[in-house]
Amino acid sequence: MSLASLPLTVAAPETHGFLSPTGVEIAFLLVGLVTFGAALITVTTRQLVHAALWLVVTLGGLAVEYLLLTAEFIAWVQVLIYVGSVVVLLLFGLMLTKAPIGRSPDADSGNRWAALTVAVASAAALVWVVVDAFRTTWIDLDGPAAGSTEATGASLFQNWVLPFEALSVLLLAALVGAIVLSRKAKAESASPPVNSRAVSGGSPSVPDSRNHPIRRKEPVTGTRATTGSGSTTGTGSTPGTASTPGTASTTSAGTAPGAGSATGAESAAGAKPATAAESAEQEGAR
Amino acid sequence: MTTTTLAVLVPLLPFLGAAAGLLLGRTAPGFVRPLAVLPTLAALVLAAIVAVRQGGAEAVNAATELTPTGSIPIELALHIDGFAALVAVLVGLVASCVQIYSTGYLRDDPRYPSYAALVSLFTSAMLLVVYSGDLMVLLVGWEVMGICSYFLVGHYWETPEARAASIKAFLVTKLGDVPFLIGLFALATDAGSFRITKVLGAVASGGLDHPTLIALLLLAGVAGKSAQFPLHTWLPDAMAGPTPVSALIHAATMVAAGVYFVARLLPVFEASQAAMVVLAVMAAVTMTGSALAALAQDDIKRVLAYSTIGQLGYMTGALAVGDRGAAVFHLLSHGAFKALLFLAAGVIIHAAGTNSLAAMSRMGHLRDRVPDAYWTMTVALLALAAIPPFSGFFSKESVLGAAEHVATGHTEHAPGAAGWVVLVAGLLTALLTAAYATRLWLLAFRGQGAEAPDHGREPLTMTVVLWVLAVPSLAVGGLAYRVLPDWFDGRDLTPTLTTSVVGTGVALVGGIVTYAAWRHTTALAARVPLGAVAAHPEGDAALVEAEAIASHEPAYGDIAYAPDPADPGRLLLGPLHRHAAVGFHLDAVYSALFVRPVQAGAALVRFLDREVVETYVRGAGATPRALGWAVRRAQTGNVQTYVSALLAGTVVLVVAAVLVATGA
Amino acid sequence: MHLAYPAVLSALLFCTGLYGVLARRNAILVLMSVELMLNAVNLNLVAFDVWLSRTAEETLHSGQALTLFTIAIAAAEIGIGLAIVLAVYRNRGTSDIDRLRDTAEGHEPDGPDSDGDATAAEKAEATA
């Protein structure tokens, strides 16, 4: 594409008026529109997973823009890191926090209109300032690519070695930090899934506590102390099921007394059998 | 030592004793009694020496100025003439007797150290008043006496009567002290000095611009301190204090301070005829009214209190007719026999276990239990009733003689009307005095009924002083009227024949009529059983007295009155008895005139403060509260809201900055 | 090419991300919006670097280098951010930002309840 725009930019280097379309500019504009639209959908969609997918489109569009600006190395890095890993991470995050599949009515918080006002105002201010300042500024895309891998690498390892190394330390710190944060949570949640599985499998001591009249009558507020003292082996999971939200516990205890409440919570939570134990445990934590 | 040094030591020694007593009272209880008695005795001895040295000759004057005090200098000044020397001896004598008596009377009282120290402090203040030659210094002693009186009346502060009485005494005397203070300032402004000698000099040269105003203002303070009508109501209630205190402060000395003050500044009062007439009317109303009230009281100490008011009325009457020699003569003799009466009454109350005459009249052989009190009190009552040859006769006859002298127009010192008023009232009061003295004696010592309980002999300290005081009551009067004119103004104090005959006659009539009435009513006593005695008769006298005072109102329905049909006073007074018993409703009148309006005003102020002012305060508080509530609502805890506000502000600032930078 | 195109696109993307950060309820969506903002900045950096590398004689390709750094930091940020969100979710049972109102004045009706439930559940787990 840079080649295609070459004649035009060469032909009229000084006569570029405001919004004088060249081929590169048209391409940039179109891709930019797609990118912007995808970004808008990302921040407005009510389906959380879709938001992540639209984010992929946005980031991919940006990669194309980088290419159009002759920064090819950045473009590939963008695709590799953002589209490849960050979005996958985000999807995992959505999955682990049990984000609902499908439309969720409360994806936006109450201060949406304030946010919209602020965003529009800042957009107007920024666009005004930028346009006012760079109305006639022209990027000459001729000659060797400014962002080729060679140029970037040379610059990076000649002039930016020290920050580069510092950055590696930063990344290491981030890595360690993420592991610490995650591992602490995992250490706490290491034992309960075993117990909860045992409970849902039907431990002989548990049905007494699970079918306890108090709990059947008051599933929502089912007292943790009662069930905890009543059960000997399943203390880890029975308190959890006792505090499950009203609907899940009511259905499990009321309509299907024999069924394990952990599985009831599972079915209410959604179709993720692979993380059934974990989600049940997290449901319990709620 | 010079006379001046001795005179300085006289008030100083009891003061040091009081300070040491207050300091050592807790740590060294063994020193309390010597510290109470010895300085007072020493002061008595020194006062006697001073009196002998002064000897009625030229007044001793000494002054030192501590520090310049502006236009009118205040000096530590002594002015000791015959009046001051003799009154100081009286104060020292009574104070010594009372201190000795108190060691027995408050034998087991835990608050004795502070009590004794206060009595010493009072003695010191009284001696300061007596010796002072400067009105400001005199005022210091005057106010210290008021404070001591307040504390000592409230000695039994566990009882509500004592608390109320101490506050009442303090407030009423202060009510008089405020005009007194203003009068002193006015006097000093007119005379240009606080020194008594200079004031008297200014009066003599006619330098006083507002004599009537000054005299009336000073009279208010004198009426408060000396319990003259209409500010006398605190004195009967002050009997809620211990009996020795009543004897010292409320009979012999402090209440005489007003009389003494007028005697010192008599030329100031003589400068105003109106003030002399007012003084005479005040004296007349006081003495007759109080004598009537005394006839109706049931509490033995209240009888004596009203009697004190009446005798003070005699003194002010003597002053009203311009004879201060007679006034101070009566002050001296009255101080002796009234202190004796009170101290003997304390013994009787201890022995009988009650302060009610109605209860005593139903006890047989009370006089056998307390023979010392019986005999000394008889002497003192005869002196009070002015029966010759007891001292009261001579002093009272000198007053009546002076009044007759003025009334018949032999002198220009005082208006003739004042003389007539004082003379008539004095004779009427002599009748009534003899009546209530007889009633007191008959009811206390001639009771019939159950045998009085025997609590053993009274402490020696309490009985010896009775005899000590009985001596001047018995004998001094006859000698004094010949000697005293040398000490005083030189005016003759010899009783005149007319007033002596008339006065003694009415006194005899009063006594005989009362005796007849008593014979008539005493048969009723057996029919109406009445009386209550203290719960702890084996305790010391102070405890018995406190219990007697506290139980009087529950037992008889009133603090001053008992529903006793056997009371001769009831027969004598007839329908007047009911009113006389409560002091002719003066307390009720004051309550209606002053207390209730003040309370209503206080209620109004309270309402204004609570409902009106408070509303503004609440409003002032509520507005910031509402604002704070509104601001608090912004703290939602939602980070996104915060960031929104932050960014909105940033946008506004950036746009403004850009606009300013570009000059738009 | 006009510099205005990438600059305006960058501004718009930035404000879109801003809207997302301010308006989204789910913490992970907020993280996505943060990514959008970072990318907008990246675009800006690249565009200006390209412009400057033509106009100026000697540049250090600082724009592109900084872009790479930003991408790396963004990767680190998303890792840490997700770990935090997951930890919060485990403790609180929610990743909704407007339920995390511990700093609010007074007590919101839902805040302390869910809080108490979560801590109680934690205790129960700890005893297990």
Side-chain angles (χ1 to χ4, degrees), chain A residues 127-197:
Chain A
V127 168
W128 167 53
V129 169
V130 163
V131 168
D132 199 39
F134 304 109
R135 194 168 37 207
T136 57
T137 309
W138 180 261
I139 306 176
D140 192 4
L141 294 175
D142 293 339
S148 65
T149 311
E150 184 189 355
T152 311
S155 166
L156 202 59
F157 290 105
Q158 277 177 359
N159 304 315
W160 297 93
V161 172
L162 198 59
F164 186 81
E165 293 300 328
L167 187 69
S168 64
V169 176
L170 179 85
L171 278 177
L172 180 65
L175 189 67
V176 173
I179 288 172
V180 166
L181 280 173
S182 315
R183 212 191 62 175
K184 193 182 172 195
K186 274 199 179 126
E188 277 182 359
S189 60
S191 53
V194 181
N195 277 340
S196 77
R197 214 174 279 279

Side-chain angles (χ1 to χ4, degrees), chain B residues 362-556:
Chain B
R362 286 160 177 77
M363 278 180 196
H365 303 288
L366 186 58
R367 66 176 180 272
D368 299 333
R369 299 274 173 256
V370 283
D372 305 296
Y374 171 64
W375 287 111
T376 54
M377 197 163 192
T378 307
V379 169
L381 283 173
L382 286 170
L384 174 66
I387 304 297
F390 298 98
S391 64
F393 167 76
F394 294 98
S395 59
K396 195 178 280 185
E397 291 318 318
S398 70
V399 173
L400 291 176
E404 188 244 17
H405 204 62
V406 171
T408 50
H410 290 294
T411 175
E412 69 284 3
H413 280 296
W420 279 114
V421 167
V422 172
L423 184 61
V424 171
L427 288 174
L428 184 60
T429 309
L431 175 77
L432 291 168
T433 306
Y436 67 70
T438 314
R439 168 177 174 263
L440 175 64
W441 190 80
L442 288 172
L443 289 182
F445 297 122
R446 294 278 159 186
Q448 285 160 355
E451 190 96 345
D454 187 4
H455 308 310
R457 283 189 67 80
E458 297 297 324
L460 201 62
T461 49
M462 285 167 65
T463 51
V464 165
V465 296
L466 298 182
W467 290 108
V468 171
L469 284 170
V471 172
S473 307
L474 186 66
V476 168
L479 304 170
Y481 79 91
R482 298 188 188 90
V483 183
L484 282 178
D486 298 342
W487 296 66
F488 295 163
D489 294 340
R491 200 173 310 163
D492 192 16
L493 293 174
T494 315
T496 57
L497 186 64
T498 330
T499 51
S500 302
V501 172
V502 176
T504 313
V506 294
L508 285 175
V509 167
I512 289 164
V513 167
T514 311
Y515 182 75
W518 175 72
R519 287 298 297 266
H520 182 71
T521 57
T522 189
L524 293 171
R527 268 185 261 155
V528 185
L530 198 66
V533 292
H536 303 89
E538 73 283 356
D540 73 346
L543 178 70
V544 171
E545 187 195 4
E547 285 179 349
I549 292 170
S551 64
H552 195 280
E553 189 162 356
Y556 306 103

Side-chain angles (χ1 to χ4, degrees), chain A residues 107-119, chain B residues 636-645, chain C residues 18-25 30 97-98 101:
Chain A
D108 288 351
S109 63
N111 51 3
R112 185 169 43 207
W113 296 111
L116 188 63
T117 312
V118 169
Chain B
T636 58
N638 189 345
V639 185
Q640 288 176 320
T641 318
Y642 298 164
V643 177
S644 297
Chain C
L18 187 63
Y19 170 77
V21 167
L22 296 185
R24 288 307 223 177
R25 175 169 281 170
V30 171
I97 286 181
D98 49 4
R101 291 192 176 191

Side-chain angles (χ1 to χ4, degrees), chain A residues 197-282:
Chain A
R197 214 174 279 279
V199 170
S200 61
S203 167
S205 70
V206 177
D208 298 346
S209 67
R210 185 160 54 231
N211 297 331
H212 197 275
I214 294 174
R215 274 195 56 208
R216 212 183 291 172
K217 277 176 190 167
E218 299 177 345
V220 182
T221 61
T223 48
R224 209 165 282 129
T226 323
T227 57
S229 61
S231 67
T232 51
T233 61
T235 45
S237 110
T238 37
T241 54
S243 65
T244 44
T247 53
S249 187
T250 313
T251 51
S252 65
T255 59
S261 64
T263 54
E266 220 172 83
S267 63
K272 285 197 183 63
T275 61
E278 197 168 355
S279 69
E281 189 272 332
Q282 282 158 1

